[in-house]
Amino acid sequence: MTTFGSLLERPTPAKPGTAVTPPYVLALRDTASVALGMVAFGMTLGVTVSVLGFGTLPGLVGAAAVYSGSAQLTAITLVHQGAAFLGVVVSAAVVNSRLLLYGASLSPRFRGQPAWFRWLAPHFVIDQTYLLSCAQPDLDPQIFRRYWGWLGTFVLVVWSSSIAVGMVAGPVLPAMPHLGFVGTAMFLGMLAPRLTNRPALAAAVAGGLVAAAVGVVRPELGIVCGAVAGVMAGMAAQR
């Protein structure tokens, strides 16, 4: 099967005596490190799609097209509640607004890449791919291009498969209200290992508190307000 990663140019050969891990191996290892959380969240989303009566095709198409569990969950929940189409779109966009910050952070690595890459690759910008790519800061532009393609492909396969399994299992599972906490647990699992300095801790605390407080009044604005507050707190602590 042709993948996005396989369409990328071959990397520059390594110097004699230098061992270089192939980009697809790096991407596979990184995907494996976050796969457990994605599978749990994806299955939860799949169960929700099934329970709310959405068809299999919309659920799977949404997994690949939206490529964001929180936005897709927000959208299907609002549709189920009878919200207007514009309200659904705006709410999902607000939930995904944090990706603007990720994109701004990744812009130096996307700048100078071929035009086709700059148009297609941003679709793979989500929490997991952003954090994993930030842990690979030394990849040159050509290697990064291959790595990002493989990473996005592997993550998409894991994510879509998990949703499919959840949709199949949904009708035969008993009521499990605690599944609503799986998404939160996944994000906390990604966050905790990175709280290694004062700015990171300040950003996490401020972002969490503001998101929780705003979410009580305006649930659709909790994430974006928390993200802005976290960035401001982190910058203040760094100064």
Side-chain angles (χ1 to χ4, degrees), residues 31-199:
T31 301
S33 70
V34 297
L36 185 60
M38 286 195 299
V39 168
F41 193 19
M43 290 184 63
T44 302
L45 180 57
V47 170
T48 304
V49 170
S50 175
V51 170
L52 295 184
F54 288 84
T56 301
L57 182 60
L60 292 178
V61 171
V66 179
Y67 200 52
S68 173
S70 54
Q72 189 175 0
L73 181 60
T74 298
I76 63 175
T77 302
L78 291 177
V79 169
H80 179 72
Q81 294 173 349
F85 176 77
L86 181 60
V88 173
V89 173
V90 171
S91 297
V94 170
V95 169
N96 262 3
S97 60
R98 71 192 186 282
L99 302 184
L100 295 174
L101 299 176
Y102 298 166
S105 176
L106 288 170
S107 61
R109 307 188 77 172
F110 280 58
R111 191 181 301 122
Q113 297 283 6
W116 64 266
F117 182 84
R118 297 198 305 271
W119 278 100
L120 297 177
H123 181 65
F124 289 146
V125 177
I126 57 174
D127 300 284
Q128 289 85 355
T129 56
Y130 171 71
L131 291 173
L132 292 172
S133 63
C134 286
Q136 302 284 355
D138 299 325
L139 300 180
D140 66 51
Q142 192 178 27
I143 299 296
F144 173 77
R145 190 160 63 244
R146 289 178 58 83
Y147 167 79
W148 183 264
W150 283 112
L151 181 65
T153 299
F154 290 146
V155 168
L156 180 60
V157 170
V158 173
W159 176 244
S160 300
S161 301
S162 302
I163 294 178
V165 171
M167 287 191 292
V168 171
V172 299
L173 292 176
M176 294 182 288
H178 60 282
L179 285 179
F181 297 100
V182 171
T184 302
M186 181 191 70
F187 288 113
L188 289 176
M190 291 191 299
L191 174 65
R194 291 165 174 81
L195 300 180
T196 57
N197 52 55
R198 183 174 297 179

